[in-house]
Amino acid sequence: MTTQQQPSKALLLSLIPGLGQIYNKQKAKGAIFLGVTVAFLIYFFAIAAPELGNLITLGEMPGRNNSLFMLIRGAFHLILVIVYFIFYALNLKDAHTIAKRWNNGYPVPTTFKDMVKGIYANGFPYLLIIPSYIAMTFAIIFPVLVTLLIAFTNYDFQHLPPTKLLDWVGVTNFTNIWRLSTFRSAFGSVLSWTIIWALTASTVQIVIGIFTAIIANQPFIKGKRIFGVIFLLPWAVPAFITILTFSNMFNDSIGAINTQVIPLLGKVLPFLNGHLIPWKTDPTWTKVALIMMQGWLGFPYIYVLTLGILQSIPNDLYEAAYIDGANA
């Protein structure tokens, strides 16, 4: 006879993590969930709560309290608390789902050994990506969160910890962007360049990637492997080496662009003859150089993606299109 569980009761019991799992006869999982909760509560009241309190106050004694460090530590513990609440939500969902599985007659692992086997069989991909998510959380999300929190403080040259304490100023910094002419001008310049960069750099690498993929996919092209290696070089070479190389190439006086490429183009385009472009001294030309460099760094991904799609198209479709006169 199939064991009948009450999903609502399991959900209610799982308000204390682990009890819902124990109700669902998963004692090992329940013990683990309960242990995690106990460990979190000890950590929260012993460590996290004081640090979160410091995050709110940002210190009270100038010279002794470093507001910036308090903010950074508070952001770190805030992330850990959020991670636990995600775990808490998953605990509720797990208890409710397992109770339904019991009622529907699906197999449910009840022992620790069965649970490990189930994780290995069904959750192995998740085990592989968990380290990546952890690294992403503390290498990307954590710095972004700290930067975002700093944006809501009065952190500037006149308020540098530890000699001065930081204070929360709300959205004052954001309103100053529009209220103060100097901030408004700087923000407008940065925003416009960001939009131009996003559009032009992406367009350049997409155009180059699609163009090279179409060329490499043509049947009359010989030595496709050689072209493939060449087109993947920007991806294979470390970015910092490419950046240093481009820095030398775009040197105003001795760079290859001004000393070799421009004179060569000057034979076809006379208005370029004898004209040295100030790649590193003129802001506009510097931005053009950056866009060109990003196009070189980014197009291999588009090339590989497009070439893979083109090569996956069956030859029958090309033959049918040829018969229908698509090449006309």
Side-chain angles (χ1 to χ4, degrees):
M1 182 177 179
T2 304
T3 302
Q4 294 295 316
Q5 301 292 99
Q6 299 180 25
S8 58
K9 185 176 181 180
L11 182 63
L12 183 63
L13 287 172
S14 63
L15 292 175
I16 300 177
L19 295 186
Q21 286 71 25
I22 294 175
Y23 170 76
N24 288 329
K25 302 181 181 180
Q26 294 182 305
K27 296 181 180 179
K29 182 191 289 187
I32 293 174
F33 280 29
L34 191 59
V36 170
T37 299
V38 172
F40 171 78
L41 291 176
I42 295 174
Y43 149 77
F44 180 80
F45 289 107
I47 301 175
E51 293 293 351
L52 293 177
N54 292 334
L55 176 63
I56 296 174
T57 63
L58 294 179
E60 298 175 352
M61 294 179 289
R64 295 187 60 183
N65 297 141
N66 192 316
S67 298
L68 185 59
F69 288 171
M70 288 181 172
L71 186 146
I72 294 173
R73 291 197 301 267
F76 175 81
H77 292 288
L78 179 62
I79 289 177
L80 294 182
V81 171
I82 292 174
V83 169
Y84 173 78
F85 278 108
I86 294 174
F87 162 79
Y88 186 84
L90 293 176
N91 147 75
L92 297 174
K93 180 181 179 181
D94 175 78
H96 190 263
T97 302
I98 295 299
K100 285 187 174 181
R101 288 181 64 88
W102 274 115
N103 295 338
N104 294 330
Y106 293 114
V108 175
T110 55
T111 65
F112 180 77
K113 184 177 180 180
D114 292 339
M115 186 177 67
V116 172
K117 288 182 178 179
I119 293 175
Y120 185 80
N122 303 317
F124 187 70
Y126 298 100
L127 294 177
L128 293 179
I129 64 175
I130 283 176
S132 300
Y133 277 115
I134 294 175
M136 182 182 68
T137 299
F138 293 104
I140 299 177
I141 298 178
F142 175 54
V144 170
L145 178 61
V146 170
T147 304
L148 181 63
L149 292 176
I150 290 176
F152 290 94
T153 68
N154 60 344
Y155 184 70
D156 56 25
F157 290 111
Q158 297 179 351
H159 301 85
L160 291 177
T163 56
K164 299 288 185 179
L165 293 178
L166 298 181
D167 292 316
W168 296 106
V169 295
V171 296
T172 301
N173 293 328
F174 297 93
T175 57
N176 285 340
I177 292 176
W178 308 106
R179 189 168 57 86
L180 302 179
S181 59
T182 54
F183 283 16
R184 185 167 59 249
S185 175
F187 177 76
S189 176
V190 172
L191 179 62
S192 61
W193 163 238
T194 301
I195 295 174
I196 293 172
W197 163 265
L199 294 177
T200 54
S202 300
T203 302
V204 168
Q205 61 191 29
I206 289 173
V207 169
I208 297 176
I210 293 177
F211 177 76
T212 52
I214 293 175
I215 295 298
N217 192 54
Q218 298 303 312
F220 59 83
I221 297 295
K222 305 299 181 182
K224 291 185 178 181
R225 292 185 178 180
I226 297 177
F227 282 104
V229 171
I230 294 174
F231 292 152
L232 288 177
L233 278 178
W235 211 359
V237 177
F240 77 93
I241 295 179
T242 303
I243 293 172
L244 289 176
T245 303
F246 269 90
S247 178
N248 293 327
M249 290 174 58
F250 283 107
N251 188 284
D252 292 352
S253 56
I254 61 173
I257 302 296
N258 277 348
T259 60
Q260 299 179 34
V261 178
I262 297 298
L264 182 63
L265 293 177
K267 297 179 180 180
V268 181
L269 304 173
F271 64 89
L272 291 177
N273 193 19
H275 179 68
L276 297 180
I277 298 177
W279 297 107
K280 290 188 174 182
T281 54
D282 184 272
T284 301
W285 284 110
T286 301
K287 293 174 182 178
V288 173
L290 290 173
I291 291 172
M292 294 169 61
M293 182 174 63
Q294 180 59 33
W296 172 262
L297 289 171
F299 90 87
Y301 172 76
I302 306 298
Y303 163 78
V304 171
L305 183 66
T306 306
L307 185 62
I309 295 173
L310 291 175
Q311 291 181 344
S312 66
I313 299 176
N315 290 329
D316 296 343
L317 294 181
Y318 289 108
E319 294 175 0
Y322 179 79
I323 294 174
D324 291 339
N327 64 325

